[in-house]
Amino acid sequence: MTLDKSKKEIVRIAVDIGGTFTDGLAVIAPGNRIWVGKTLTTPDDPGIAVTTVMVDLLKQIAASRGNAKREVADVVHGTTLVTNTLIERKGARTGLVVTEGTRDVLTIAREIRYDLYDLNLEIPQPLVTEGNRVEAVERLDVSGAVVKPLTDGELNRVLDALGDLNVEAVDVWFLHAYVNDVHEQQVAAAVKKRFPQMAISISSGIAREIREFERMSTTVANAYVQPLVTEYLNRLDQRVHELAPGAPLKIMISSGGFTSGKAAAETPILLLESGPAGGVLSALNTARNAGIDQILAFDMGGTTAKACVAVGGEPLISHSFECARVSRFKRGSGLPILIPSIDLIEIGAGGGSIAHVNDLGLLNVGPESCEIGRAHV
């Protein structure tokens, strides 16, 4: 087939950051020819590896097709940054504002032993310590009607308490806020005014669903990773536009879709399975081209290993799952998260994971990684 050279060539670039390597792919249309790039991940600043791969891909295209100016239509990015941060517990110092009387919900959880016969049962530790939880005198009933209003005096007391905690991010969680978020919005506005640099997440904006513990766990996880992800995406957006001025930066989310860098920075928990979701979609496309509609997709990374079963050419979408399990494959041993995600199983053991001897004298692998474990940004 002869290509019409009069048509303008358009380049699309995709880059995925893993615990050990950062991989990139560029496709040019018309023609749909692809180029592949790869470099070691730069844990101290992952964006360096992204731009290194992009520069390499653009050089490969120029060497092959000439130096004519080509439009980069978009840059798609997948990352395991959120997953690794939660697994390795290396997020921001986080505070939690809750309805009076509910500060221990995060610790009590569902009060379930995921292994009844394990006398040395390890319970996943909350992302926010008890000392960083602030109770607010306010209350809504189940219909969302105000039972105890959040007064200005009480709001100022909460803000003073947050200031004493020296936290980088705060999560606001009130009872029945999924029906009426008026009090959460009050706190959010006040925090932004007094602490403009502090990242803030409210449960009604992250997981507007019933089930107190799961809603709190999801929102806390979002706040825990938000400062890290926001800084990373802001710097990455600037770097991408220096190389491709007209190209929007699209971030892959856990359900397999895309969002903007700005939206991803506001709700980074949606990126929890960003990188793995891209791997599953790639496996599905490959299988579909080969006429196969039942697959087991497996992705071995530097820090984590992921697997997904897809039947009928489509992966299952889960709206509730666990991450950062302390006991592999055991439900109840992780942090519950309420977001739509491609249904995956994931463990904290990858090609760069560190082996250690546990309290029982047994050899364990992970979740610490020799690559991402040094630093994230």
Side-chain angles (χ1 to χ4, degrees):
M1 181 179 68
T2 303
L3 294 177
D4 184 357
K5 295 184 178 180
S6 65
K7 290 185 177 180
K8 187 177 181 180
E9 292 184 331
I10 296 176
V11 178
R12 302 186 69 201
I13 296 176
V15 183
D16 175 73
I17 293 180
T20 306
F21 291 105
T22 294
D23 300 282
L25 181 145
V27 59
I28 195 167
N32 291 330
R33 180 176 171 183
I34 65 171
W35 289 263
V36 176
K38 192 181 193 74
T39 188
L40 284 171
T41 293
T42 48
D44 295 329
D45 187 349
I48 294 176
V50 174
T51 52
T52 299
V53 167
M54 286 184 62
V55 169
D56 178 45
L57 290 170
L58 293 173
K59 285 182 177 179
Q60 289 185 53
I61 294 173
S64 175
R65 311 280 285 211
N67 291 317
K69 187 175 181 180
R70 297 176 182 86
E71 177 187 354
V72 178
D74 52 24
V75 177
V76 179
H77 179 44
T79 178
T80 56
L81 182 62
V82 173
T83 303
N84 294 337
T85 301
L86 291 173
I87 288 175
E88 297 184 346
R89 300 301 181 99
K90 294 185 176 180
R93 295 187 306 277
T94 305
L96 174 62
V97 180
V98 298
T99 301
E100 184 182 33
T102 63
R103 70 188 298 272
D104 293 325
V105 166
L106 202 60
T107 302
I108 296 171
R110 285 299 176 191
E111 205 174 5
I112 296 173
R113 292 177 62 87
Y114 59 85
D115 190 334
L116 291 175
Y117 305 106
D118 185 353
L119 299 180
N120 298 304
L121 188 70
E122 182 182 0
I123 301 297
Q125 293 301 306
L127 296 174
V128 178
T129 62
E130 291 184 10
N132 281 357
R133 304 173 198 172
V134 178
E135 290 186 322
V137 179
E138 65 80 42
R139 191 63 180 261
L140 306 176
D141 66 17
V142 69
S143 66
V146 176
V147 177
K148 287 184 181 179
L150 180 61
T151 65
D152 291 341
E154 178 63 10
L155 189 55
N156 286 327
R157 185 194 66 81
V158 169
L159 294 176
D160 291 341
L162 284 175
D164 293 338
L165 294 178
N166 190 32
V167 294
E168 303 167 271
V170 62
D171 166 31
V172 183
W173 177 99
F174 290 151
L175 279 173
H176 309 305
Y178 56 88
V179 181
N180 182 359
D181 66 351
V182 59
H183 287 173
E184 288 193 347
Q185 293 289 357
Q186 274 185 259
V187 175
V191 169
K192 288 178 182 177
K193 184 175 181 179
R194 186 183 291 193
F195 309 109
Q197 301 303 317
M198 186 180 293
I200 182 165
S201 300
I202 61 175
S203 72
S204 54
I206 304 301
R208 198 163 190 151
E209 300 183 37
I210 60 172
R211 298 160 68 185
E212 289 87 351
F213 171 54
E214 287 79 0
R215 178 162 57 95
M216 186 182 290
S217 175
T218 304
T219 316
V220 164
N222 189 82
Y224 184 73
V225 301
Q226 192 171 12
L228 182 78
V229 175
T230 299
E231 180 184 359
Y232 167 69
L233 289 178
N234 287 342
R235 291 160 65 181
L236 182 63
D237 188 68
Q238 181 180 356
R239 286 167 167 165
V240 166
H241 286 115
E242 287 175 357
L243 291 173
L249 176 62
K250 298 179 180 179
I251 310 299
M252 175 160 279
I253 58 177
S254 301
S255 61
F258 301 105
T259 190
S260 67
K262 181 179 179 181
E266 293 176 355
T267 54
I269 195 62
L270 293 177
L271 276 61
L272 185 61
E273 300 293 353
S274 167
V280 171
L281 295 180
S282 177
L284 284 169
N285 288 334
T286 301
R288 192 176 293 117
N289 291 336
I292 301 171
D293 64 356
Q294 299 186 52
I295 66 165
L296 170 62
F298 178 76
D299 179 0
M300 171 59 78
T303 305
T304 56
K306 290 76 67 175
C308 173
V309 174
V311 177
E314 296 292 338
L316 293 176
I317 300 295
S318 172
H319 293 270
S320 176
F321 62 99
E322 292 180 358
C323 73
R325 284 178 172 170
V326 296
S327 182
R328 293 169 187 167
F329 312 120
K330 292 188 178 179
R331 184 175 179 81
S333 68
L335 305 175
I337 302 293
L338 299 177
I339 62 168
S341 173
I342 289 178
D343 195 8
L344 293 150
I345 187 166
E346 185 169 12
I347 62 173
S353 294
I354 298 172
H356 66 279
V357 177
N358 65 15
D359 295 337
L360 299 177
L362 302 175
L363 183 64
N364 278 20
V365 178
E368 289 288 335
S369 166
C370 61
E371 295 296 335
I372 287 296
R374 293 200 300 271
H376 289 292
V377 174

